[in-house]
Amino acid sequence: MPVYMDHAATTPLSEKALEAMLPYFREEFGNPSAIYSLGQTTKNVLEKCRARMAACLGALPTEIFFTSGGTESDNWILRGACRARRQKGRHVITTAFEHNAVLRTLEQLEQEGLEVTRLEPDRKGRITAQQLEAAIRPDTGLVSIMLANNVVGTVLDIPTLAKIARDYRIPFHTDAVQAVGHIPVDVRKLGVDFLSLSAHKFNGPRGVGAVYCRLPNRLPPLLTGGGQEKELRSGTENVPGIVGMTAALEEALEEMDQRTAHLLRLQDRMISGVLAMPGVHLTGDPENRLPGFCSFLVEGIFHSVYLVNEMNEHGFCVSSGSACSAASRESSHVLLALGYDKALAGAGLRITLGAENTEQDVDRALTALHEAVEKVRREKPPGAVLL
Ligand code: PLP
């Protein structure tokens, strides 16, 4: 088994979550819309999960809707909120370093006539209140800014940014996919109107997520059909997935203090070990970052996919950036947005640690990384021919 250090891409399923899910794959398979007992049992479970998820996020059960994951949650909120405010708000403010689930969706909406302002983060991945306020227009209908970045791990100051939007009565969405389960997330303290999350980032199953929506009657559905989720998200509910997501989030919150302390220790060890190499730089904010999130730029290599392949040969799973763009040899849009030039923006390395990683894992990864960097610098220097 390789040593897994790519927890920002996805996480292993928690044993507790798996155990909780199994009955809903086996005997409790009823459709929650059915009126006989087998269906009503799963309907009750679904509503209990909604209340438990809401409690984890400081929300009301009526504000939680289940989806198929982060991408659907982002799509629903952006498309729905923009459609709902078509008359008033033709302008959306976001950042240049959001996940593509947000950026690509807004690009498509732009083609349909929406106007989008993309705020440029600073080198550390921060967006200021002044930047946001300066971008607000009379026709701004939505602000969408992520809570934590998936390439450099910076945690943004959403309470301050959301307050600005609220002062102007503009709805605020935060993509909290990387943050939920890793740092405390309370929708009231954040002051947001919409939030997206995804179970597989906090040791829940893949393919299930949720939307927090403060004013559900203002959000038209993305998926229409059988009218599930109060007519707002049709489709037979993924009951095992929802049960697993709920169990995983509760477990993540119960263990957050312990896990954070462990991850901060490992993170320090990893970052200082990697920065001991010449020509390697930490990316993102050294202070406000997700626990266990180590992200770097490695000078003197053609592209970090070669580094990822080398590390794979050594038995370690690490990433060149986000999972969705890991196979492409392009520069990361996130690193470009942070102001790095094109050549360096292809040399990102992301090592995201998880609760199951140990100090020995970190030490072994560091030894392997030293060898891998030397080899890639020798064999694939900048300007190398792609083979
Ligand atoms: N938003 C962010 C910040 C992410 O990191 C991801 C996944 O990497 C997504 C959205 C998409 O989530 P999902 O994989 O559940 O569709």
Side-chain angles (χ1 to χ4, degrees), residues 214-250:
R214 195 173 65 82
L215 298 167
N217 54 354
R218 303 242 190 106
L219 188 68
L222 177 68
L223 302 181
T224 47
Q228 288 89 346
E229 298 290 284
K230 299 217 187 74
E231 304 276 340
L232 289 182
R233 199 282 185 181
S234 288
T236 302
E237 300 87 342
N238 173 3
V239 177
I242 291 164
V243 168
M245 169 165 70
T246 308
L249 185 55
E250 286 179 342

Side-chain angles (χ1 to χ4, degrees), residues 8-9 69-71 74 99 101 146 148 150 175 177-178 198 200-201 324:
T71 302
D74 285 342
H99 188 271
M146 68 201 325
N150 54 304
D175 174 341
V177 167
Q178 288 290 336
S198 181
H200 73 105
K201 305 291 186 180
C324 346

Side-chain angles (χ1 to χ4, degrees), residues 107-140:
E107 273 168 29
Q108 210 182 63
L109 290 168
E110 234 171 353
Q111 284 168 10
E112 294 164 18
L114 193 83
E115 287 180 42
V116 181
T117 298
R118 296 168 183 83
L119 303 176
E120 296 285 342
D122 71 4
R123 227 348 126 82
K124 292 181 175 173
R126 296 173 303 189
I127 299 283
T128 63
Q130 292 77 2
Q131 263 179 296
L132 174 58
E133 193 157 16
I136 290 174
R137 309 191 325 202
D139 63 345
T140 305

